[in-house]
Amino acid sequence: MSFEERKRRAHEIVSAMTNKEKALFLQGKDFWRVNGNEKYSVPVSFLSDGPLGLRKQPLVSDHMGLLKSEPAVCYPASATAACSFDEKLLEEFGVSIASEAIRQKIDMILCPGMNHQRNPLCGRNFEYYSEDPLLTGVLASAVVRGIKSQKVACCVKHFAANSQETLRLVSDSVVDERALFELYLRAFEYVVRNAEPDAIMTAYNKVNGTYSSENKFLMEDIARKKWGYRGLFLTDWGALNDEVNSFASGLDLEMPGVCKGTDEIVLDAVEKNLIPQERLDDAAENVITFSLLHSEEKTPSYTEEESLALSLKIAEESAVLLKNQDKLLPASKEKNIAVIGRFAKHPRYQGAGSSKVNPVKVVSALDAFDERGINYKYAKGYHEEGWTSRKLLKEAVNLAKGKDLVFIFAGLPPASESEGSDRNTLAMPKGIGLLIDRLCHTNENCVLVLHSGSPVHIPCYNKLKAVMYVGLAGGMSGEAAVKLLMGEVNPSGCLAQSWPKKIEDIPSYPWYLKNRRVCEYRESIFSGYRYYDAGGVEPLYRFGHGLSYTSFSINSLSSTKTSLKENEELELKLKVKNTGSLSGASVVCAYVSNENPLVFSCKKELAAFKKVFLKPQEECTISLTIPYSAFSYYNRSAHDFAVQGGLYSLSVEAMTDFVNRESQSLSVNVERSRNFIDESDFYKNQSAYGDAKNIQNVTREDFEKLLGRKVPENPKIGKPFDQNTTLQDLVKSTLLFKFAKPIILHMAGKYDEGSKQEKKNTSHFALQMPIRGIGMMGGMTKKSIARLVKTLNRWLF
């Protein structure tokens, strides 16, 4: 059935139902399943995590990825796959993971994750694509199209402005209207308009004072009315704060269905007209429309072996050659090679948390070297969590002496990038840093094979001859790394996120994680390359940086139009040539710049991109479509995107070495949009944002002028307690520590599979969990949670 047919059938079913039958659809059946109804032939549906691969848990359940799940292909993380800049490849990923879902009888995959990478320290950045909303929107749309082509549902997440893990269930993202629409909502808008996802998952956090799961402005006013969204809204697991406000504001489904009682609350609210009858009907209809997809006949397009091959291909195309001094790479099999680092034997290929996959196959670099008969010597160098010892250092240093090449496999340990916690440093663990330093002072031909899901500080950077960033490349990461190092594959990845030289250069550094529950987005639109370019701050690596074993040139840039009217588009044409001796690929990007902006603005913004594969000396002509919307900015007065009009510059770059990158540009006159409202007077009063160099000096008063309101104060924690009081706040009371401690120990101790650091992260997450989150552990109802809060207050007061 088409969406329209399922929608009509769902409407017929809901029209015949009682309110009690409808209300049962508004909460999950259990941890992973959505309620069905045999009487009306509505099947029970099964949901699964999926940003890096499926995580089906048919017998045991958790949302931190520590309990066993069904074996599945582990694909490269989204942040790694984004470096491919390959829309077609990401659509293939969608088809592949949906094929696995069909075999495992999964009805909805909870992916892709598409939050804006505001700060490299976010523990969940590896699940997200980029700091650029267009790149995120295009790649996420490709994944959605691929999944839906197999008649499997997908759920994009986390809506919206979910930029940190610290206190994520109770934090408030305070962001100005322009930044909200240009950075934090734009990718979601793109995927809704271009791929029509089946579901959108609301984030844990508040957005400008209102929890995402009860944010009528986001769900109804923007997504449904402005963007035309037709799917369902479901909560992140345990995100629901207020049942009545949520369902009255546009929410359709609470997950999971562990803490029962939502149906009773909803029925009572409908009776009192706190939730309109039509809202109950719409919510049930939206859930059933999805559930009817379960009955569709489905045939997998990919076998497991084909999915593994695709995972390898994505890893190969996403690796970024950051540095290659003296053309040390690719390496020759005849070289005398030392391979050092635990990750060479036990690869770091995924992050921690709900995205964690039980991989059906893992290939290490040592496996790949052995398969090729390459002669090498191996030393461990460090332990799993990054610490080392004199014995390990001595063994590694001795091994490196006199070798032609030293491959150092290193990066961030598994628990450093995890759901539920954020990093507080860009540095690798001290033990790994010390190892790299010793090796670089022992052998001048050191190559770092870097494993991490987001930017890190690279120790001894100036002494390293080459750096190959493989990211979190999935279960086939070892095979991909060796093929890239030995020249079987030419690296073609480009960074989808800027890499700062030091933590203090991150635009949001002065405020990020500094203010507990109130998260101020004072940097506004100046995030990532938008800040580094406009503020004149030189990062270690720019957005789009990536080297190749060959070279490219671009020339003959032309445009189909020199002036552009409203709602028109233009085509840029240019020639791209592989000027080297090896086959390879280059990413070509087009940027838009407003030559005379009336408001503070970025120096340039990504408008289009294309990846081109060419043989040695091959040349081709490519086209890049630039829509009228690429020239727009969010106009506060119009409450919509608008085009100022005038002269704009279009620059095209071949994304290779950012120092010597090829670039060409031209200008175009663009017509002002009819909805444009001159905001010059307002922006004259925003002097703090007039020069991006001063962004990190923006005061709260400056930010409040931009917001047009006061920044809320951090809530005072204490008397009386409520359902959003965290266990961390409870343990500050000696009496209530006795209550909170068993819960924390239970959450950390019930998981036998996780590492010590992962269990520590779980304890940390438990401390930040509000009282209402205890219901996720099972055995409680909504009423018993409310009674618990009253009891805790009675104990103390």
Side-chain angles (χ1 to χ4, degrees):
M1 286 188 285
S2 66
F3 176 86
E4 288 74 17
E5 289 170 327
R6 286 188 283 119
K7 189 75 172 174
R8 281 196 295 272
R9 177 62 186 137
H11 182 75
E12 291 169 1
I13 291 170
V14 169
S15 298
M17 279 182 166
T18 65
N19 276 357
K20 186 173 183 179
E21 289 171 326
K22 297 171 191 175
L24 287 171
F25 279 97
L26 275 57
Q27 186 181 35
K29 181 178 178 67
D30 49 34
F31 205 88
W32 292 114
R33 294 185 297 171
V34 176
N35 273 308
N37 187 308
E38 289 186 22
K39 175 182 173 182
Y40 298 99
S41 300
V42 180
V44 173
S45 299
F46 200 101
L47 280 53
S48 169
D49 281 310
L52 284 71
L54 299 177
R55 190 173 73 90
K56 184 177 183 181
Q57 294 180 312
L59 299 177
V60 294
S61 303
D62 79 299
H63 72 300
M64 290 301 289
L66 296 182
L67 294 177
K68 276 290 186 184
S69 58
E70 295 287 297
V73 174
C74 182
Y75 300 86
S78 301
T80 298
C83 295
S84 72
F85 277 72
D86 194 326
E87 183 179 0
K88 184 175 181 294
L89 193 63
L90 271 290
E91 186 165 345
E92 288 183 53
F93 160 72
V95 175
S96 178
I97 193 171
S99 296
E100 279 199 280
I102 294 170
R103 289 194 294 272
Q104 293 196 18
K105 299 187 182 335
I106 291 167
D107 300 293
M108 178 185 285
I109 308 172
L110 305 176
C111 87
M114 46 189 299
N115 290 96
H116 175 71
Q117 292 178 336
R118 179 190 177 211
N119 191 301
L121 300 180
C122 175
R124 215 168 175 180
N125 263 358
F126 67 90
E127 285 191 48
Y128 309 138
Y129 290 104
S130 177
E131 66 186 21
D132 184 85
L134 176 66
L135 180 58
T136 294
V138 170
L139 297 183
S141 294
V143 173
V144 171
R145 287 196 303 271
I147 293 173
K148 290 182 63 177
S149 72
Q150 303 301 290
K151 300 179 182 178
V152 175
C154 67
C155 176
V156 299
K157 59 186 185 180
H158 306 91
F159 192 64
N162 182 189
S163 303
Q164 68 182 55
E165 291 298 290
T166 302
L167 289 168
R168 62 181 182 170
L169 279 88
V170 292
S171 64
D172 184 4
S173 296
V174 182
V175 54
D176 70 277
E177 186 178 359
R178 183 176 168 196
L180 179 66
F181 279 87
E182 289 191 10
L183 296 182
Y184 301 96
L185 297 182
R186 203 163 197 176
F188 285 98
E189 178 182 6
Y190 190 98
V191 78
V192 167
R193 291 187 185 276
N194 292 278
E196 295 190 289
D198 303 278
I200 295 177
M201 182 187 292
T202 60
Y204 285 115
N205 54 283
K206 298 176 184 177
V207 178
N208 291 327
T210 304
Y211 275 104
S212 297
S213 58
E214 54 196 72
N215 201 311
K216 183 177 182 294
F217 174 70
L218 292 178
M219 292 187 288
E220 290 289 332
D221 298 345
I222 301 304
R224 292 208 188 276
K225 294 178 182 177
K226 183 168 264 188
W227 301 344
Y229 176 61
R230 300 189 297 171
L232 70 93
F233 280 106
L234 72 155
T235 67
D236 202 339
W237 268 231
L240 192 75
N241 170 66
D242 185 298
E243 292 82 1
V244 176
N245 283 341
S246 292
F247 290 111
S249 299
L251 185 71
D252 301 308
L253 174 62
E254 177 195 6
M255 289 299 292
V258 177
C259 188
K260 298 298 184 183
T262 295
D263 57 328
E264 296 176 13
I265 296 171
V266 167
L267 288 171
D268 182 63
V270 171
E271 188 73 25
K272 296 174 180 175
N273 204 30
L274 298 174
I275 298 176
Q277 178 67 50
E278 58 267 26
R279 181 77 270 283
L280 171 61
D281 294 347
D282 286 346
E285 187 175 307
N286 289 333
V287 175
I288 293 170
T289 300
F290 147 66
S291 296
L292 291 176
L293 190 62
H294 176 94
S295 305
E296 297 283 331
E297 189 172 328
K298 305 163 190 175
T299 304
S301 295
Y302 277 65
T303 64
E304 185 174 272
E305 283 303 313
E306 288 171 334
S307 291
L308 286 167
L310 178 64
S311 176
L312 174 61
K313 184 181 178 183
I314 297 171
E316 292 169 357
E317 286 199 31
S318 303
V320 183
L321 182 58
L322 295 177
K323 181 179 182 180
N324 194 20
Q325 187 179 329
D326 301 332
K327 296 185 178 179
L328 188 63
L329 296 177
S332 167
K333 288 183 178 181
E334 283 67 44
K335 296 286 186 181
N336 190 8
I337 298 172
V339 178
I340 298 172
R342 188 181 188 277
F343 289 169
K345 188 174 184 179
H346 304 283
R348 166 86 202 287
Y349 55 88
Q350 65 177 328
S354 62
S355 67
K356 190 174 179 181
V357 177
N358 177 17
V360 71
K361 184 177 183 179
V362 176
V363 178
S364 73
L366 297 191
D367 294 333
F369 281 127
D370 291 339
E371 185 183 352
R372 287 160 177 77
I374 295 173
N375 186 31
Y376 68 91
K377 298 293 182 182
Y378 168 73
K380 182 178 179 179
Y382 55 87
H383 293 282
E384 181 182 16
E385 299 303 333
W387 59 275
T388 188
S389 64
R390 290 181 181 179
K391 180 181 178 182
L392 290 176
L393 286 173
K394 183 178 180 180
E395 179 189 18
V397 168
N398 288 338
L399 187 66
K401 290 177 180 177
K403 294 294 189 294
D404 297 326
L405 272 175
V406 179
F407 290 142
I408 308 168
F409 285 75
L412 293 177
S416 292
E417 295 176 287
S418 173
E419 179 177 3
S421 63
D422 300 300
R423 289 190 286 159
N424 58 15
T425 178
L426 289 174
M428 297 183 204
K430 290 181 180 179
I432 292 177
L434 182 60
L435 172 69
I436 294 172
D437 181 76
R438 294 280 179 87
L439 293 174
C440 286
H441 283 87
T442 300
N443 191 308
E444 65 177 10
N445 291 323
C446 286
V447 177
L448 176 61
V449 184
L450 184 55
H451 297 256
S452 70
S454 54
V456 294
H457 172 70
I458 301 175
C460 220
Y461 175 76
N462 291 328
K463 285 189 172 293
L464 286 164
K465 278 283 184 74
V467 181
M468 181 72 76
Y469 177 54
V470 297
L472 300 181
M476 303 301 287
S477 63
E479 177 77 8
V482 171
K483 290 180 75 172
L484 289 153
L485 293 170
M486 306 309 294
E488 295 175 33
V489 173
N490 194 345
S492 61
C494 297
L495 292 178
Q497 184 177 19
S498 307
W499 283 43
K501 286 183 177 178
K502 58 184 186 295
I503 193 171
E504 292 83 5
D505 288 343
I506 301 169
S508 58
Y509 170 75
W511 319 288
Y512 192 71
L513 306 182
K514 302 292 197 301
N515 204 16
R516 285 184 61 78
R517 295 193 180 202
V518 178
C519 312
E520 299 179 40
Y521 287 50
R522 288 193 205 175
E523 72 277 8
S524 187
I525 63 170
F526 296 105
S527 175
Y529 74 82
R530 287 164 168 77
Y531 166 71
Y532 295 117
D533 288 344
V537 178
E538 191 66 36
L540 178 64
Y541 292 119
R542 292 182 182 274
F543 172 85
H545 172 70
L547 305 179
S548 172
Y549 294 150
T550 189
S551 55
F552 298 90
S553 67
I554 58 173
N555 58 74
S556 305
L557 175 65
S558 64
S559 172
T560 54
K561 295 177 181 176
T562 56
S563 61
L564 194 67
K565 293 184 178 180
E566 188 167 5
N567 296 325
E568 290 184 341
E569 62 184 27
L570 62 82
E571 293 281 331
L572 293 179
K573 294 184 181 296
L574 70 153
K575 292 182 178 180
V576 184
K577 183 175 182 178
N578 180 345
T579 57
S581 58
L582 297 172
S583 295
S586 178
V587 175
V588 179
C589 289
Y591 291 91
V592 169
S593 303
N594 187 341
E595 305 240 342
N596 298 290
L598 297 176
V599 301
F600 65 72
S601 62
C602 309
K603 190 174 181 180
K604 64 181 185 182
E605 292 186 50
L606 185 67
F609 62 90
K610 184 170 288 188
K611 193 166 193 175
V612 189
F613 292 84
L614 296 170
K615 296 176 182 178
Q617 300 304 310
E618 183 183 2
E619 184 178 58
C620 73
T621 299
I622 67 167
S623 297
L624 295 168
T625 302
I626 311 297
Y628 181 76
S629 60
F631 301 91
S632 67
Y633 79 100
Y634 187 81
N635 188 290
R636 295 173 69 261
S637 301
H639 299 293
D640 201 356
F641 284 90
V643 175
Q644 172 192 313
L647 193 64
Y648 290 78
S649 173
L650 284 166
S651 60
V652 178
E653 300 176 353
M655 311 299 275
T656 51
D657 183 353
F658 71 82
V659 176
N660 303 305
R661 67 169 57 169
E662 293 280 338
S663 177
Q664 291 200 327
S665 63
L666 51 77
S667 295
V668 59
N669 277 296
V670 181
E671 182 180 56
R672 175 173 290 185
S673 62
R674 283 168 288 182
N675 68 339
F676 175 80
I677 298 174
D678 192 333
E679 301 181 287
S680 302
D681 290 342
F682 172 80
Y683 279 97
K684 283 176 185 176
N685 293 322
Q686 308 302 325
S687 57
Y689 291 90
D691 187 347
K693 293 178 182 177
N694 299 321
I695 285 301
Q696 292 189 329
N697 297 320
V698 168
T699 65
R700 175 171 285 191
E701 290 72 24
D702 295 327
F703 185 43
E704 287 175 338
K705 283 171 63 178
L706 182 64
L707 283 173
R709 63 181 185 279
K710 289 287 185 181
V711 173
E713 294 295 330
N714 267 306
K716 293 183 179 180
I717 308 301
K719 308 172 184 180
F721 297 127
D722 60 31
Q723 65 169 3
N724 285 316
T725 300
T726 65
L727 300 188
Q728 190 173 44
D729 297 320
L730 288 180
V731 298
K732 292 176 183 177
S733 161
T734 304
L735 180 61
L736 294 186
F737 177 74
K738 295 178 180 179
F739 162 78
K741 184 178 178 180
I743 297 172
I744 297 164
L745 291 176
H746 171 75
M747 287 192 67
K750 70 181 281 193
Y751 305 120
D752 297 325
E753 305 298 329
S755 66
K756 289 182 180 179
Q757 185 59 45
E758 284 178 314
K759 291 180 179 180
K760 183 178 179 181
N761 285 351
T762 303
S763 297
H764 176 72
F765 171 72
L767 279 168
Q768 298 186 16
M769 185 173 66
I771 294 172
R772 60 180 162 85
I774 298 171
M776 282 264 284
M777 298 166 63
M780 300 190 78
T781 65
K782 299 296 176 77
K783 288 181 178 179
S784 61
I785 292 287
R787 286 196 298 268
L788 174 62
V789 173
K790 289 182 180 180
T791 302
L792 292 173
N793 281 311
R794 205 161 47 239
W795 281 359
L796 279 191
F797 316 124

